[in-house]
PDB file of all heavy atoms in Angstrom:
ATOM      1  N   ALA O  16      29.186  61.466  -8.098  1.00 43.00           N
ATOM      2  CA  ALA O  16      30.610  61.804  -8.138  1.00 43.00           C
ATOM      3  C   ALA O  16      31.203  61.524  -9.505  1.00 43.00           C
ATOM      4  O   ALA O  16      31.975  62.329 -10.048  1.00 43.00           O
ATOM      5  CB  ALA O  16      31.350  61.002  -7.061  1.00 43.00           C
ATOM      6  N   ILE O  17      30.850  60.385 -10.079  1.00 41.00           N
ATOM      7  CA  ILE O  17      31.386  60.042 -11.400  1.00 41.00           C
ATOM      8  C   ILE O  17      30.824  60.988 -12.458  1.00 41.00           C
ATOM      9  O   ILE O  17      31.525  61.390 -13.385  1.00 41.00           O
ATOM     10  CB  ILE O  17      31.070  58.574 -11.733  1.00 41.00           C
ATOM     11  CG1 ILE O  17      31.929  57.681 -10.824  1.00 41.00           C
ATOM     12  CG2 ILE O  17      31.351  58.254 -13.176  1.00 41.00           C
ATOM     13  CD1 ILE O  17      31.680  56.204 -10.999  1.00 41.00           C
ATOM     14  N   GLY O  18      29.568  61.387 -12.300  1.00 43.00           N
ATOM     15  CA  GLY O  18      28.988  62.341 -13.232  1.00 43.00           C
ATOM     16  C   GLY O  18      29.715  63.674 -13.192  1.00 43.00           C
ATOM     17  O   GLY O  18      29.943  64.304 -14.223  1.00 43.00           O
ATOM     18  N   ALA O  19      30.113  64.085 -11.990  1.00 37.00           N
ATOM     19  CA  ALA O  19      30.858  65.333 -11.865  1.00 37.00           C
ATOM     20  C   ALA O  19      32.187  65.251 -12.583  1.00 37.00           C
ATOM     21  O   ALA O  19      32.632  66.207 -13.223  1.00 37.00           O
ATOM     22  CB  ALA O  19      31.075  65.661 -10.379  1.00 37.00           C
ATOM     23  N   LEU O  20      32.838  64.097 -12.500  1.00 36.00           N
ATOM     24  CA  LEU O  20      34.101  63.928 -13.214  1.00 36.00           C
ATOM     25  C   LEU O  20      33.886  63.984 -14.722  1.00 36.00           C
ATOM     26  O   LEU O  20      34.696  64.559 -15.453  1.00 36.00           O
ATOM     27  CB  LEU O  20      34.733  62.586 -12.836  1.00 36.00           C
ATOM     28  CG  LEU O  20      35.337  62.488 -11.430  1.00 36.00           C
ATOM     29  CD1 LEU O  20      35.825  61.070 -11.180  1.00 36.00           C
ATOM     30  CD2 LEU O  20      36.448  63.480 -11.234  1.00 36.00           C
ATOM     31  N   ALA O  21      32.793  63.396 -15.176  1.00 36.00           N
ATOM     32  CA  ALA O  21      32.521  63.388 -16.611  1.00 36.00           C
ATOM     33  C   ALA O  21      32.306  64.806 -17.132  1.00 36.00           C
ATOM     34  O   ALA O  21      32.755  65.157 -18.227  1.00 36.00           O
ATOM     35  CB  ALA O  21      31.291  62.529 -16.896  1.00 36.00           C
ATOM     36  N   ILE O  22      31.627  65.635 -16.337  1.00 32.00           N
ATOM     37  CA  ILE O  22      31.371  67.014 -16.754  1.00 32.00           C
ATOM     38  C   ILE O  22      32.667  67.782 -16.936  1.00 32.00           C
ATOM     39  O   ILE O  22      32.815  68.606 -17.830  1.00 32.00           O
ATOM     40  CB  ILE O  22      30.460  67.713 -15.720  1.00 32.00           C
ATOM     41  CG1 ILE O  22      29.051  67.108 -15.791  1.00 32.00           C
ATOM     42  CG2 ILE O  22      30.403  69.222 -15.976  1.00 32.00           C
ATOM     43  CD1 ILE O  22      28.140  67.589 -14.690  1.00 32.00           C
ATOM     44  N   THR O  23      33.642  67.496 -16.075  1.00 32.00           N
ATOM     45  CA  THR O  23      34.914  68.224 -16.153  1.00 32.00           C
ATOM     46  C   THR O  23      35.857  67.645 -17.190  1.00 32.00           C
ATOM     47  O   THR O  23      36.979  68.102 -17.337  1.00 32.00           O
ATOM     48  CB  THR O  23      35.616  68.227 -14.781  1.00 32.00           C
ATOM     49  OG1 THR O  23      35.857  66.872 -14.397  1.00 32.00           O
ATOM     50  CG2 THR O  23      34.762  68.917 -13.733  1.00 32.00           C
ATOM     51  N   GLY O  24      35.415  66.599 -17.883  1.00 36.00           N
ATOM     52  CA  GLY O  24      36.223  66.072 -18.974  1.00 36.00           C
ATOM     53  C   GLY O  24      36.976  64.813 -18.667  1.00 36.00           C
ATOM     54  O   GLY O  24      37.684  64.281 -19.511  1.00 36.00           O
ATOM     55  N   PHE O  25      36.839  64.301 -17.412  1.00 33.00           N
ATOM     56  CA  PHE O  25      37.507  63.063 -17.065  1.00 33.00           C
ATOM     57  C   PHE O  25      36.617  61.889 -17.424  1.00 33.00           C
ATOM     58  O   PHE O  25      35.408  61.981 -17.413  1.00 33.00           O
ATOM     59  CB  PHE O  25      37.827  63.019 -15.555  1.00 33.00           C
ATOM     60  CG  PHE O  25      38.893  64.003 -15.154  1.00 33.00           C
ATOM     61  CD1 PHE O  25      38.544  65.256 -14.672  1.00 33.00           C
ATOM     62  CD2 PHE O  25      40.226  63.680 -15.272  1.00 33.00           C
ATOM     63  CE1 PHE O  25      39.523  66.160 -14.303  1.00 33.00           C
ATOM     64  CE2 PHE O  25      41.203  64.577 -14.902  1.00 33.00           C
ATOM     65  CZ  PHE O  25      40.857  65.826 -14.419  1.00 33.00           C
ATOM     66  N   VAL O  26      37.230  60.772 -17.745  1.00 33.00           N
ATOM     67  CA  VAL O  26      36.471  59.576 -18.075  1.00 33.00           C
ATOM     68  C   VAL O  26      36.253  58.770 -16.804  1.00 33.00           C
ATOM     69  O   VAL O  26      37.199  58.451 -16.094  1.00 33.00           O
ATOM     70  CB  VAL O  26      37.236  58.713 -19.105  1.00 33.00           C
ATOM     71  CG1 VAL O  26      36.478  57.418 -19.372  1.00 33.00           C
ATOM     72  CG2 VAL O  26      37.421  59.505 -20.398  1.00 33.00           C
ATOM     73  N   ALA O  27      35.001  58.441 -16.494  1.00 36.00           N
ATOM     74  CA  ALA O  27      34.686  57.673 -15.299  1.00 36.00           C
ATOM     75  C   ALA O  27      34.772  56.191 -15.618  1.00 36.00           C
ATOM     76  O   ALA O  27      34.152  55.711 -16.543  1.00 36.00           O
ATOM     77  CB  ALA O  27      33.283  58.017 -14.823  1.00 36.00           C
ATOM     78  N   ALA O  28      35.549  55.475 -14.834  1.00 38.00           N
ATOM     79  CA  ALA O  28      35.688  54.038 -15.033  1.00 38.00           C
ATOM     80  C   ALA O  28      36.223  53.433 -13.754  1.00 38.00           C
ATOM     81  O   ALA O  28      36.766  54.137 -12.910  1.00 38.00           O
ATOM     82  CB  ALA O  28      36.652  53.754 -16.189  1.00 38.00           C
ATOM     83  N   PRO O  29      36.099  52.121 -13.579  1.00 38.00           N
ATOM     84  CA  PRO O  29      36.625  51.500 -12.377  1.00 38.00           C
ATOM     85  C   PRO O  29      38.125  51.690 -12.196  1.00 38.00           C
ATOM     86  O   PRO O  29      38.642  51.497 -11.122  1.00 38.00           O
ATOM     87  CB  PRO O  29      36.287  50.013 -12.577  1.00 38.00           C
ATOM     88  CG  PRO O  29      35.094  50.027 -13.471  1.00 38.00           C
ATOM     89  CD  PRO O  29      35.321  51.196 -14.396  1.00 38.00           C
ATOM     90  N   SER O  30      38.842  52.073 -13.250  1.00 40.00           N
ATOM     91  CA  SER O  30      40.285  52.272 -13.141  1.00 40.00           C
ATOM     92  C   SER O  30      40.634  53.708 -12.785  1.00 40.00           C
ATOM     93  O   SER O  30      41.677  54.207 -13.150  1.00 40.00           O
ATOM     94  CB  SER O  30      40.953  51.899 -14.464  1.00 40.00           C
ATOM     95  OG  SER O  30      40.428  52.681 -15.527  1.00 40.00           O
TER      96      SER O  30
END
Side-chain angles (χ1 to χ4, degrees):
I17 290 178
L20 287 176
I22 290 172
T23 60
F25 291 95
V26 176
S30 58

